[in-house]
PDB file of all heavy atoms in Angstrom:
ATOM      1  N   THR A  60     -59.453 -28.158 -91.169  1.00  0.00           N
ATOM      2  CA  THR A  60     -59.350 -26.698 -91.290  1.00  0.00           C
ATOM      3  C   THR A  60     -59.581 -25.974 -89.966  1.00  0.00           C
ATOM      4  O   THR A  60     -59.677 -24.749 -89.933  1.00  0.00           O
ATOM      5  CB  THR A  60     -60.348 -26.167 -92.333  1.00  0.00           C
ATOM      6  OG1 THR A  60     -61.674 -26.553 -91.968  1.00  0.00           O
ATOM      7  CG2 THR A  60     -60.017 -26.719 -93.717  1.00  0.00           C
ATOM      8  N   GLU A  61     -59.685 -26.715 -88.878  1.00  0.00           N
ATOM      9  CA  GLU A  61     -59.841 -26.096 -87.562  1.00  0.00           C
ATOM     10  C   GLU A  61     -58.514 -25.508 -87.079  1.00  0.00           C
ATOM     11  O   GLU A  61     -57.438 -26.004 -87.421  1.00  0.00           O
ATOM     12  CB  GLU A  61     -60.340 -27.121 -86.540  1.00  0.00           C
ATOM     13  CG  GLU A  61     -61.810 -27.461 -86.656  1.00  0.00           C
ATOM     14  CD  GLU A  61     -62.271 -28.361 -85.524  1.00  0.00           C
ATOM     15  OE1 GLU A  61     -61.738 -29.473 -85.399  1.00  0.00           O
ATOM     16  OE2 GLU A  61     -63.171 -27.963 -84.773  1.00  0.00           O
ATOM     17  N   ALA A  62     -58.587 -24.484 -86.262  1.00  0.00           N
ATOM     18  CA  ALA A  62     -57.402 -23.955 -85.586  1.00  0.00           C
ATOM     19  C   ALA A  62     -57.065 -24.898 -84.418  1.00  0.00           C
ATOM     20  O   ALA A  62     -57.955 -25.483 -83.825  1.00  0.00           O
ATOM     21  CB  ALA A  62     -57.678 -22.551 -85.062  1.00  0.00           C
ATOM     22  N   PRO A  63     -55.771 -25.067 -84.120  1.00  0.00           N
ATOM     23  CA  PRO A  63     -54.621 -24.419 -84.745  1.00  0.00           C
ATOM     24  C   PRO A  63     -54.033 -25.178 -85.931  1.00  0.00           C
ATOM     25  O   PRO A  63     -53.082 -24.722 -86.550  1.00  0.00           O
ATOM     26  CB  PRO A  63     -53.616 -24.367 -83.595  1.00  0.00           C
ATOM     27  CG  PRO A  63     -53.906 -25.619 -82.817  1.00  0.00           C
ATOM     28  CD  PRO A  63     -55.403 -25.821 -82.894  1.00  0.00           C
ATOM     29  N   ALA A  64     -54.584 -26.356 -86.265  1.00  0.00           N
ATOM     30  CA  ALA A  64     -53.991 -27.196 -87.311  1.00  0.00           C
ATOM     31  C   ALA A  64     -53.905 -26.481 -88.651  1.00  0.00           C
ATOM     32  O   ALA A  64     -52.921 -26.631 -89.394  1.00  0.00           O
ATOM     33  CB  ALA A  64     -54.786 -28.490 -87.450  1.00  0.00           C
ATOM     34  N   ILE A  65     -54.913 -25.677 -88.992  1.00  0.00           N
ATOM     35  CA  ILE A  65     -54.941 -25.021 -90.294  1.00  0.00           C
ATOM     36  C   ILE A  65     -53.748 -24.088 -90.484  1.00  0.00           C
ATOM     37  O   ILE A  65     -53.227 -23.941 -91.602  1.00  0.00           O
ATOM     38  CB  ILE A  65     -56.272 -24.255 -90.501  1.00  0.00           C
ATOM     39  CG1 ILE A  65     -56.367 -23.685 -91.914  1.00  0.00           C
ATOM     40  CG2 ILE A  65     -56.451 -23.183 -89.439  1.00  0.00           C
ATOM     41  CD1 ILE A  65     -56.359 -24.718 -93.010  1.00  0.00           C
ATOM     42  N   ALA A  66     -53.275 -23.482 -89.405  1.00  0.00           N
ATOM     43  CA  ALA A  66     -52.114 -22.586 -89.517  1.00  0.00           C
ATOM     44  C   ALA A  66     -50.872 -23.352 -89.963  1.00  0.00           C
ATOM     45  O   ALA A  66     -50.070 -22.845 -90.773  1.00  0.00           O
ATOM     46  CB  ALA A  66     -51.856 -21.893 -88.184  1.00  0.00           C
ATOM     47  N   TYR A  67     -50.717 -24.563 -89.453  1.00  0.00           N
ATOM     48  CA  TYR A  67     -49.563 -25.375 -89.833  1.00  0.00           C
ATOM     49  C   TYR A  67     -49.709 -25.896 -91.261  1.00  0.00           C
ATOM     50  O   TYR A  67     -48.713 -26.015 -91.988  1.00  0.00           O
ATOM     51  CB  TYR A  67     -49.394 -26.524 -88.847  1.00  0.00           C
ATOM     52  CG  TYR A  67     -48.934 -26.067 -87.485  1.00  0.00           C
ATOM     53  CD1 TYR A  67     -49.849 -25.819 -86.470  1.00  0.00           C
ATOM     54  CD2 TYR A  67     -47.584 -25.853 -87.219  1.00  0.00           C
ATOM     55  CE1 TYR A  67     -49.434 -25.388 -85.220  1.00  0.00           C
ATOM     56  CE2 TYR A  67     -47.160 -25.421 -85.970  1.00  0.00           C
ATOM     57  CZ  TYR A  67     -48.089 -25.192 -84.975  1.00  0.00           C
ATOM     58  OH  TYR A  67     -47.673 -24.754 -83.742  1.00  0.00           O
ATOM     59  N   LEU A  68     -50.928 -26.197 -91.679  1.00  0.00           N
ATOM     60  CA  LEU A  68     -51.150 -26.605 -93.066  1.00  0.00           C
ATOM     61  C   LEU A  68     -50.793 -25.471 -94.028  1.00  0.00           C
ATOM     62  O   LEU A  68     -50.168 -25.692 -95.069  1.00  0.00           O
ATOM     63  CB  LEU A  68     -52.607 -27.016 -93.274  1.00  0.00           C
ATOM     64  CG  LEU A  68     -53.014 -28.438 -92.896  1.00  0.00           C
ATOM     65  CD1 LEU A  68     -54.503 -28.629 -93.123  1.00  0.00           C
ATOM     66  CD2 LEU A  68     -52.227 -29.486 -93.682  1.00  0.00           C
ATOM     67  N   LYS A  69     -51.204 -24.262 -93.690  1.00  0.00           N
ATOM     68  CA  LYS A  69     -50.879 -23.110 -94.533  1.00  0.00           C
ATOM     69  C   LYS A  69     -49.369 -22.904 -94.599  1.00  0.00           C
ATOM     70  O   LYS A  69     -48.817 -22.569 -95.658  1.00  0.00           O
ATOM     71  CB  LYS A  69     -51.567 -21.854 -93.998  1.00  0.00           C
ATOM     72  CG  LYS A  69     -53.081 -21.837 -94.183  1.00  0.00           C
ATOM     73  CD  LYS A  69     -53.698 -20.576 -93.593  1.00  0.00           C
ATOM     74  CE  LYS A  69     -55.193 -20.520 -93.812  1.00  0.00           C
ATOM     75  NZ  LYS A  69     -55.805 -19.295 -93.233  1.00  0.00           N
ATOM     76  N   SER A  70     -48.708 -23.090 -93.485  1.00  0.00           N
ATOM     77  CA  SER A  70     -47.249 -22.965 -93.457  1.00  0.00           C
ATOM     78  C   SER A  70     -46.601 -24.001 -94.368  1.00  0.00           C
ATOM     79  O   SER A  70     -45.692 -23.692 -95.145  1.00  0.00           O
ATOM     80  CB  SER A  70     -46.744 -23.130 -92.024  1.00  0.00           C
ATOM     81  OG  SER A  70     -45.335 -23.283 -91.979  1.00  0.00           O
ATOM     82  N   LEU A  71     -47.086 -25.237 -94.290  1.00  0.00           N
ATOM     83  CA  LEU A  71     -46.539 -26.310 -95.121  1.00  0.00           C
ATOM     84  C   LEU A  71     -46.779 -26.033 -96.606  1.00  0.00           C
ATOM     85  O   LEU A  71     -45.939 -26.339 -97.453  1.00  0.00           O
ATOM     86  CB  LEU A  71     -47.160 -27.645 -94.720  1.00  0.00           C
ATOM     87  CG  LEU A  71     -46.675 -28.892 -95.459  1.00  0.00           C
ATOM     88  CD1 LEU A  71     -45.167 -29.093 -95.270  1.00  0.00           C
ATOM     89  CD2 LEU A  71     -47.437 -30.128 -94.977  1.00  0.00           C
ATOM     90  N   ALA A  72     -47.919 -25.432 -96.913  1.00  0.00           N
ATOM     91  CA  ALA A  72     -48.260 -25.138 -98.308  1.00  0.00           C
ATOM     92  C   ALA A  72     -47.306 -24.129 -98.945  1.00  0.00           C
ATOM     93  O   ALA A  72     -47.217 -24.046-100.176  1.00  0.00           O
ATOM     94  CB  ALA A  72     -49.695 -24.622 -98.392  1.00  0.00           C
ATOM     95  N   LEU A  73     -46.602 -23.348 -98.132  1.00  0.00           N
ATOM     96  CA  LEU A  73     -45.648 -22.370 -98.642  1.00  0.00           C
ATOM     97  C   LEU A  73     -44.313 -22.987 -99.018  1.00  0.00           C
ATOM     98  O   LEU A  73     -43.483 -22.342 -99.664  1.00  0.00           O
ATOM     99  CB  LEU A  73     -45.423 -21.270 -97.597  1.00  0.00           C
ATOM    100  CG  LEU A  73     -46.632 -20.372 -97.294  1.00  0.00           C
ATOM    101  CD1 LEU A  73     -46.326 -19.468 -96.108  1.00  0.00           C
ATOM    102  CD2 LEU A  73     -47.006 -19.548 -98.513  1.00  0.00           C
ATOM    103  N   VAL A  74     -44.099 -24.235 -98.615  1.00  0.00           N
ATOM    104  CA  VAL A  74     -42.832 -24.911 -98.903  1.00  0.00           C
ATOM    105  C   VAL A  74     -42.789 -25.308-100.378  1.00  0.00           C
ATOM    106  O   VAL A  74     -43.742 -25.900-100.885  1.00  0.00           O
ATOM    107  CB  VAL A  74     -42.667 -26.152 -98.008  1.00  0.00           C
ATOM    108  CG1 VAL A  74     -41.394 -26.923 -98.368  1.00  0.00           C
ATOM    109  CG2 VAL A  74     -42.657 -25.757 -96.533  1.00  0.00           C
ATOM    110  N   PRO A  75     -41.716 -24.992-101.088  1.00  0.00           N
ATOM    111  CA  PRO A  75     -41.602 -25.429-102.486  1.00  0.00           C
ATOM    112  C   PRO A  75     -41.772 -26.942-102.617  1.00  0.00           C
ATOM    113  O   PRO A  75     -41.341 -27.705-101.746  1.00  0.00           O
ATOM    114  CB  PRO A  75     -40.177 -24.993-102.872  1.00  0.00           C
ATOM    115  CG  PRO A  75     -39.875 -23.853-101.964  1.00  0.00           C
ATOM    116  CD  PRO A  75     -40.551 -24.177-100.667  1.00  0.00           C
ATOM    117  N   ASN A  76     -42.410 -27.366-103.682  1.00  0.00           N
ATOM    118  CA  ASN A  76     -42.671 -28.775-104.004  1.00  0.00           C
ATOM    119  C   ASN A  76     -43.814 -29.389-103.195  1.00  0.00           C
ATOM    120  O   ASN A  76     -44.056 -30.593-103.307  1.00  0.00           O
ATOM    121  CB  ASN A  76     -41.409 -29.641-103.838  1.00  0.00           C
ATOM    122  CG  ASN A  76     -40.287 -29.206-104.747  1.00  0.00           C
ATOM    123  OD1 ASN A  76     -40.500 -28.981-105.939  1.00  0.00           O
ATOM    124  ND2 ASN A  76     -39.097 -29.046-104.187  1.00  0.00           N
ATOM    125  N   VAL A  77     -44.517 -28.595-102.406  1.00  0.00           N
ATOM    126  CA  VAL A  77     -45.657 -29.106-101.637  1.00  0.00           C
ATOM    127  C   VAL A  77     -46.956 -28.540-102.194  1.00  0.00           C
ATOM    128  O   VAL A  77     -47.090 -27.318-102.349  1.00  0.00           O
ATOM    129  CB  VAL A  77     -45.550 -28.749-100.138  1.00  0.00           C
ATOM    130  CG1 VAL A  77     -46.814 -29.187 -99.391  1.00  0.00           C
ATOM    131  CG2 VAL A  77     -44.322 -29.411 -99.516  1.00  0.00           C
ATOM    132  N   GLU A  78     -47.889 -29.422-102.508  1.00  0.00           N
ATOM    133  CA  GLU A  78     -49.252 -29.032-102.875  1.00  0.00           C
ATOM    134  C   GLU A  78     -50.208 -29.637-101.854  1.00  0.00           C
ATOM    135  O   GLU A  78     -50.078 -30.812-101.497  1.00  0.00           O
ATOM    136  CB  GLU A  78     -49.630 -29.552-104.259  1.00  0.00           C
ATOM    137  CG  GLU A  78     -48.941 -28.904-105.420  1.00  0.00           C
ATOM    138  CD  GLU A  78     -49.478 -29.446-106.745  1.00  0.00           C
ATOM    139  OE1 GLU A  78     -50.635 -29.134-107.099  1.00  0.00           O
ATOM    140  OE2 GLU A  78     -48.747 -30.210-107.400  1.00  0.00           O
ATOM    141  N   ILE A  79     -51.166 -28.845-101.415  1.00  0.00           N
ATOM    142  CA  ILE A  79     -52.157 -29.332-100.452  1.00  0.00           C
ATOM    143  C   ILE A  79     -53.552 -29.035-100.984  1.00  0.00           C
ATOM    144  O   ILE A  79     -53.833 -27.912-101.421  1.00  0.00           O
ATOM    145  CB  ILE A  79     -51.971 -28.671 -99.069  1.00  0.00           C
ATOM    146  CG1 ILE A  79     -50.587 -28.995 -98.498  1.00  0.00           C
ATOM    147  CG2 ILE A  79     -53.067 -29.147 -98.105  1.00  0.00           C
ATOM    148  CD1 ILE A  79     -50.282 -28.299 -97.189  1.00  0.00           C
ATOM    149  N   ARG A  80     -54.405 -30.034-100.949  1.00  0.00           N
ATOM    150  CA  ARG A  80     -55.803 -29.827-101.318  1.00  0.00           C
ATOM    151  C   ARG A  80     -56.703 -30.308-100.182  1.00  0.00           C
ATOM    152  O   ARG A  80     -56.403 -31.293 -99.506  1.00  0.00           O
ATOM    153  CB  ARG A  80     -56.142 -30.549-102.624  1.00  0.00           C
ATOM    154  CG  ARG A  80     -55.408 -29.943-103.806  1.00  0.00           C
ATOM    155  CD  ARG A  80     -55.888 -30.430-105.154  1.00  0.00           C
ATOM    156  NE  ARG A  80     -55.086 -29.830-106.211  1.00  0.00           N
ATOM    157  CZ  ARG A  80     -55.272 -30.030-107.506  1.00  0.00           C
ATOM    158  NH1 ARG A  80     -56.263 -30.827-107.916  1.00  0.00           N
ATOM    159  NH2 ARG A  80     -54.487 -29.440-108.401  1.00  0.00           N
ATOM    160  N   ILE A  81     -57.780 -29.562-100.002  1.00  0.00           N
ATOM    161  CA  ILE A  81     -58.756 -29.857 -98.946  1.00  0.00           C
ATOM    162  C   ILE A  81     -60.027 -30.391 -99.593  1.00  0.00           C
ATOM    163  O   ILE A  81     -60.557 -29.789-100.532  1.00  0.00           O
ATOM    164  CB  ILE A  81     -59.045 -28.595 -98.118  1.00  0.00           C
ATOM    165  CG1 ILE A  81     -57.757 -28.135 -97.411  1.00  0.00           C
ATOM    166  CG2 ILE A  81     -60.150 -28.859 -97.100  1.00  0.00           C
ATOM    167  CD1 ILE A  81     -57.871 -26.802 -96.729  1.00  0.00           C
ATOM    168  N   VAL A  82     -60.504 -31.512 -99.076  1.00  0.00           N
ATOM    169  CA  VAL A  82     -61.639 -32.209 -99.681  1.00  0.00           C
ATOM    170  C   VAL A  82     -62.895 -32.012 -98.842  1.00  0.00           C
ATOM    171  O   VAL A  82     -62.898 -32.295 -97.637  1.00  0.00           O
ATOM    172  CB  VAL A  82     -61.344 -33.716 -99.831  1.00  0.00           C
ATOM    173  CG1 VAL A  82     -62.542 -34.425-100.468  1.00  0.00           C
ATOM    174  CG2 VAL A  82     -60.086 -33.923-100.665  1.00  0.00           C
ATOM    175  N   THR A  83     -63.946 -31.563 -99.491  1.00  0.00           N
ATOM    176  CA  THR A  83     -65.250 -31.389 -98.856  1.00  0.00           C
ATOM    177  C   THR A  83     -66.285 -32.193 -99.636  1.00  0.00           C
ATOM    178  O   THR A  83     -66.529 -31.905-100.811  1.00  0.00           O
ATOM    179  CB  THR A  83     -65.669 -29.909 -98.830  1.00  0.00           C
ATOM    180  OG1 THR A  83     -64.648 -29.131 -98.192  1.00  0.00           O
ATOM    181  CG2 THR A  83     -66.988 -29.733 -98.087  1.00  0.00           C
ATOM    182  N   LEU A  84     -66.866 -33.202 -99.015  1.00  0.00           N
ATOM    183  CA  LEU A  84     -67.888 -34.011 -99.672  1.00  0.00           C
ATOM    184  C   LEU A  84     -69.257 -33.368 -99.487  1.00  0.00           C
ATOM    185  O   LEU A  84     -69.529 -32.739 -98.457  1.00  0.00           O
ATOM    186  CB  LEU A  84     -67.902 -35.432 -99.108  1.00  0.00           C
ATOM    187  CG  LEU A  84     -66.630 -36.261 -99.312  1.00  0.00           C
ATOM    188  CD1 LEU A  84     -66.832 -37.680 -98.784  1.00  0.00           C
ATOM    189  CD2 LEU A  84     -66.200 -36.291-100.770  1.00  0.00           C
ATOM    190  N   PRO A  85     -70.146 -33.533-100.455  1.00  0.00           N
ATOM    191  CA  PRO A  85     -71.472 -32.906-100.355  1.00  0.00           C
ATOM    192  C   PRO A  85     -72.343 -33.573 -99.295  1.00  0.00           C
ATOM    193  O   PRO A  85     -72.185 -34.764 -99.000  1.00  0.00           O
ATOM    194  CB  PRO A  85     -72.060 -33.114-101.754  1.00  0.00           C
ATOM    195  CG  PRO A  85     -71.359 -34.332-102.281  1.00  0.00           C
ATOM    196  CD  PRO A  85     -69.967 -34.264-101.723  1.00  0.00           C
ATOM    197  N   THR A  86     -73.252 -32.802 -98.733  1.00  0.00           N
ATOM    198  CA  THR A  86     -74.219 -33.345 -97.770  1.00  0.00           C
ATOM    199  C   THR A  86     -75.088 -34.392 -98.455  1.00  0.00           C
ATOM    200  O   THR A  86     -75.429 -34.256 -99.632  1.00  0.00           O
ATOM    201  CB  THR A  86     -75.108 -32.211 -97.226  1.00  0.00           C
ATOM    202  OG1 THR A  86     -74.263 -31.221 -96.623  1.00  0.00           O
ATOM    203  CG2 THR A  86     -76.110 -32.726 -96.202  1.00  0.00           C
ATOM    204  N   ALA A  87     -75.447 -35.425 -97.738  1.00  0.00           N
ATOM    205  CA  ALA A  87     -76.295 -36.483 -98.296  1.00  0.00           C
ATOM    206  C   ALA A  87     -77.679 -35.939 -98.629  1.00  0.00           C
ATOM    207  O   ALA A  87     -78.161 -34.980 -98.011  1.00  0.00           O
ATOM    208  CB  ALA A  87     -76.420 -37.635 -97.303  1.00  0.00           C
ATOM    209  N   SER A  88     -78.333 -36.553 -99.605  1.00  0.00           N
ATOM    210  CA  SER A  88     -79.670 -36.105-100.017  1.00  0.00           C
ATOM    211  C   SER A  88     -80.690 -36.267 -98.904  1.00  0.00           C
ATOM    212  O   SER A  88     -81.721 -35.587 -98.881  1.00  0.00           O
ATOM    213  CB  SER A  88     -80.123 -36.888-101.253  1.00  0.00           C
ATOM    214  OG  SER A  88     -80.188 -38.278-100.968  1.00  0.00           O
ATOM    215  N   THR A  89     -80.393 -37.166 -97.958  1.00  0.00           N
ATOM    216  CA  THR A  89     -81.302 -37.380 -96.824  1.00  0.00           C
ATOM    217  C   THR A  89     -81.137 -36.329 -95.738  1.00  0.00           C
ATOM    218  O   THR A  89     -81.893 -36.305 -94.770  1.00  0.00           O
ATOM    219  CB  THR A  89     -81.059 -38.768 -96.207  1.00  0.00           C
ATOM    220  OG1 THR A  89     -79.663 -38.902 -95.892  1.00  0.00           O
ATOM    221  CG2 THR A  89     -81.472 -39.870 -97.172  1.00  0.00           C
ATOM    222  N   GLY A  90     -80.122 -35.462 -95.893  1.00  0.00           N
ATOM    223  CA  GLY A  90     -79.878 -34.433 -94.899  1.00  0.00           C
ATOM    224  C   GLY A  90     -78.542 -34.615 -94.206  1.00  0.00           C
ATOM    225  O   GLY A  90     -77.791 -35.557 -94.481  1.00  0.00           O
ATOM    226  N   PHE A  91     -78.231 -33.719 -93.295  1.00  0.00           N
ATOM    227  CA  PHE A  91     -76.953 -33.746 -92.588  1.00  0.00           C
ATOM    228  C   PHE A  91     -76.824 -35.008 -91.738  1.00  0.00           C
ATOM    229  O   PHE A  91     -77.748 -35.378 -91.014  1.00  0.00           O
ATOM    230  CB  PHE A  91     -76.811 -32.512 -91.701  1.00  0.00           C
ATOM    231  CG  PHE A  91     -75.496 -32.447 -90.972  1.00  0.00           C
ATOM    232  CD1 PHE A  91     -74.376 -31.924 -91.597  1.00  0.00           C
ATOM    233  CD2 PHE A  91     -75.375 -32.916 -89.670  1.00  0.00           C
ATOM    234  CE1 PHE A  91     -73.160 -31.870 -90.933  1.00  0.00           C
ATOM    235  CE2 PHE A  91     -74.164 -32.863 -89.002  1.00  0.00           C
ATOM    236  CZ  PHE A  91     -73.049 -32.341 -89.638  1.00  0.00           C
TER     237      PHE A  91
END
């Protein structure tokens, strides 16, 4: 999701038949 890559991902997401999902895993219980 950093710039400038995120701008191109958003552009790709506008294309018909394209779905994009971004995955965020939770922080470990021991900390960052």
